[in-house]
Amino acid sequence: MSDAPPRVGFVSLGCPKNLVDSERILTQLRAEGYDLVARYEEADLVVVNTCGFIDAAVEESLEAIGEAIDANGRVIVTGCLGSREDEIRAAHPQVLAVTGAHAYEAVMEAVHAHLPPSSDPHRDLLPAQGIRLTPPHYAYLKISEGCNHRCSFCIIPSLRGDLHSRPLGEVLGEAERLVESGVRELLVVSQDTSAYGLDLKYRTDIVGGRPLETRLEVLARELGRLPAWTRLHYVYPYPSVDRLIPLMAEGLILPYLDVPLQHASESVLRRMKRPAASEKMLQRIRRWREICPGITLRSTFIVGFPGETEDDFDQLLDFIQEARLDRVGCFAYSPVEGAAANALPDPVPESLKQDRLARFMEIQAEISRDRLAGQVGREMTVLIDAVEPQRLLARGPGDAPEVDGQVIIDGAWEEVGPGDFVQVRVTGYDEHDLFAEPV
Ligand code: SF4
């Protein structure tokens, strides 16, 4: 028998939350002595971590499975689409095994069954921070799984189950290891970040000899003590979110809040099964800006939800003009198989959805540009992402990786590299990015 370690290929699809699952599976594989290889042909087996959030993602996942089967032949499927085993097997009867979202043990069992680990795992080769798929200077920190809400357009709860928070000590321990390994920005993710600890009844744990409650505010404060940026994503607009803003004003966590609002019309929000009080939301936004004037607000919206009238849509436009959010994503509603919203009457015709999307984006683009223009002349600390021959690509407190803009600093720099913090002054802007010079 050969002594060569068994080799696994890995494909990771979908959102940052799925990426964290991939990192966890890869870390476990590596800990057990599997070699991770980048080419299908070199692998003894391929694991595909799928996404099933929208129909386009399902198609992409099925295609990725097909590609791995064609190139390698031995494929294990895991992730969100794993909850639709029949569909996967109908398209690809050859798959070796199918497991669901965040089912680490089941994936590992399937791997063991089809490719036993080598008898001599090189555990000492595993970095303490585990295996990560992001650049070395930032990392996603997943604090919980699942969601207790039942937004009618979303199937996440049926794919990932109810809220399940990770213990505070475990999350903080992981954050510390990441920062020790060189991470300079922690991106807190989950399906519903503001609900952190609710399922554990906000229990008090002893962490580092101190009693700490399992809740977002406490977690944010503790993360704020680490020498790295902390950025909060997917913060459902519970009233408790208001208590995070002073932490931003104090500089403990980044003044950045990603709050998916989805709509502003009460009747649409009710049908979406989301909290419906946009007037209060505007008041809260005003208050957040009073407490923390530099705060960057990001949100996402859906237009063309079933039953959305011209009046509903106008209310949404009024809201975004009033709220003047910095970063906004907007999607035309598209039905997701298995979502409750599919049973709602009065679907909006596709052409009208696209027309509303275009009108929304036109107004928001101007607002975003105005918000960026307001940054000119400001001094800020930025985190370097990449060094190019004649310029640096960086991000400021208002720019999350992948989704927001960049800060571009012209000139040749020798002494700085990715993961360094640099002080700059903003000199210009375009639709998404800022331009800056060193201070
Ligand atoms: S809060 Fe987010 S994850 Fe939870 S049901 Fe609503 S859209 Fe889905």
Side-chain angles (χ1 to χ4, degrees):
M1 199 179 131
S2 143
D3 285 342
R7 289 158 306 180
V8 177
F10 201 96
V11 180
S12 182
L13 303 166
C15 63
K17 289 154 273 189
N18 217 33
L19 190 78
V20 176
D21 288 352
S22 294
E23 290 175 342
R24 216 166 141 184
I25 300 167
L26 288 169
T27 301
Q28 188 57 31
L29 285 167
R30 199 65 197 86
E32 294 186 11
Y34 289 92
D35 250 5
L36 304 170
V37 293
R39 293 163 58 87
Y40 290 130
E41 303 80 56
E42 293 165 5
D44 299 312
L45 176 153
V46 177
V47 177
V48 183
N49 189 9
T50 58
C51 171
F53 185 46
I54 54 169
D55 291 353
V58 172
E59 254 165 56
E60 191 197 358
S61 294
L62 288 173
E63 265 172 37
I65 297 167
E67 211 183 284
I69 287 178
D70 289 345
N72 181 282
R74 290 166 51 76
V75 174
I76 290 173
V77 178
T78 185
C80 286
L81 190 63
S83 64
R84 301 202 211 163
E85 181 164 356
D86 293 350
E87 217 169 302
I88 296 169
R89 291 207 180 272
H92 303 295
Q94 315 88 311
V95 293
L96 299 175
V98 178
T99 67
H102 64 94
Y104 313 103
E105 282 165 19
V107 189
M108 291 311 299
E109 266 171 39
V111 174
H112 295 157
H114 295 281
L115 184 66
S118 74
S119 51
D120 175 27
H122 307 290
R123 282 167 202 276
D124 52 335
L125 294 182
L126 186 72
Q129 76 279 12
I131 292 191
R132 293 192 294 110
L133 298 170
T134 44
H137 61 284
Y138 67 80
Y140 292 101
L141 181 68
K142 180 140 79 169
I143 60 169
S144 61
E145 270 298 348
C147 180
N148 285 351
H149 295 285
R150 294 295 179 263
C151 302
S152 59
F153 52 81
C154 177
I155 54 166
I156 295 266
S158 66
L159 296 175
R160 301 204 158 218
D162 280 341
L163 178 74
H164 183 81
S165 303
R166 293 176 63 198
L168 186 71
E170 192 182 303
V171 176
L172 289 175
E174 182 180 340
E176 277 166 17
R177 282 192 299 281
L178 287 167
V179 173
E180 274 161 25
S181 77
V183 164
R184 290 294 163 258
E185 178 176 3
L186 294 162
L187 301 138
V188 174
V189 294
S190 69
Q191 311 299 340
D192 180 5
T193 296
S194 28
Y196 178 64
L198 178 74
D199 54 315
L200 300 176
K201 303 200 170 49
Y202 306 114
R203 75 175 187 215
T204 298
D205 284 351
I206 303 297
V207 183
R210 288 178 304 144
L212 294 175
E213 264 188 307
T214 311
R215 53 170 87 236
L216 184 60
E217 209 183 316
V218 177
L219 174 67
R221 198 172 269 287
E222 292 301 309
L223 291 175
R225 296 181 201 279
L226 299 175
W229 280 357
T230 296
R231 191 184 296 280
L232 303 181
H233 281 288
Y234 314 117
V235 180
Y236 191 94
Y238 292 109
S240 62
V241 172
D242 297 2
R243 294 201 294 270
L244 296 169
I245 313 300
L247 304 187
M248 298 181 182
E250 278 175 53
L252 276 174
I253 58 174
L254 285 178
Y256 181 96
L257 201 59
D258 173 11
V259 210
L261 296 172
Q262 313 301 8
H263 213 283
S265 141
E266 278 195 23
S267 78
V268 175
L269 285 166
R270 255 199 311 275
R271 270 173 286 134
M272 287 179 166
K273 298 216 159 83
R274 305 267 310 178
S278 53
E279 200 34 56
K280 271 211 192 112
M281 203 58 236
L282 283 173
Q283 284 170 17
R284 288 176 73 192
I285 289 172
R286 262 178 239 125
R287 184 90 191 100
W288 293 347
R289 288 191 171 129
E290 276 165 27
I291 298 171
C292 182
I295 193 169
T296 296
L297 297 173
R298 153 169 274 280
S299 191
T300 49
F301 295 91
I302 296 172
V303 295
F305 191 73
E308 182 191 67
T309 60
E310 205 52 36
D311 181 51
D312 291 324
F313 180 65
D314 283 344
Q315 288 180 43
L316 175 59
L317 294 185
D318 288 348
F319 178 85
I320 59 162
Q321 279 165 306
E322 189 76 26
R324 304 187 64 74
L325 304 172
D326 302 86
R327 312 279 190 186
V328 170
C330 185
F331 306 92
Y333 171 74
S334 94
V336 176
E337 203 184 313
N342 300 352
L344 291 173
D346 309 320
V348 176
E350 195 52 43
S351 58
L352 187 53
K353 276 188 213 168
Q354 294 304 330
D355 175 64
R356 287 181 183 167
L357 177 63
R359 283 158 64 197
F360 180 106
M361 290 314 283
E362 197 181 326
I363 293 176
Q364 181 58 41
E366 200 160 313
I367 297 170
S368 295
R369 253 197 313 271
D370 256 25
R371 303 285 303 164
L372 288 176
Q375 307 273 347
V376 174
R378 211 186 123 193
E379 277 188 25
M380 63 167 82
T381 305
V382 296
L383 177 62
I384 306 296
D385 274 335
V387 180
E388 296 189 342
Q390 286 307 320
R391 59 181 198 167
L392 293 177
L393 301 181
R395 285 177 299 105
D399 314 306
E402 320 263 332
V403 287
D404 295 328
Q406 292 182 310
V407 179
I408 298 163
I409 312 157
D410 277 334
W413 293 53
E414 275 170 15
E415 66 282 21
V416 296
D420 286 343
F421 289 108
V422 173
Q423 196 66 16
V424 298
R425 183 180 301 106
V426 179
T427 53
Y429 64 98
D430 65 13
E431 207 171 312
H432 303 286
D433 301 323
L434 291 174
F435 297 89
E437 59 186 18
V439 176

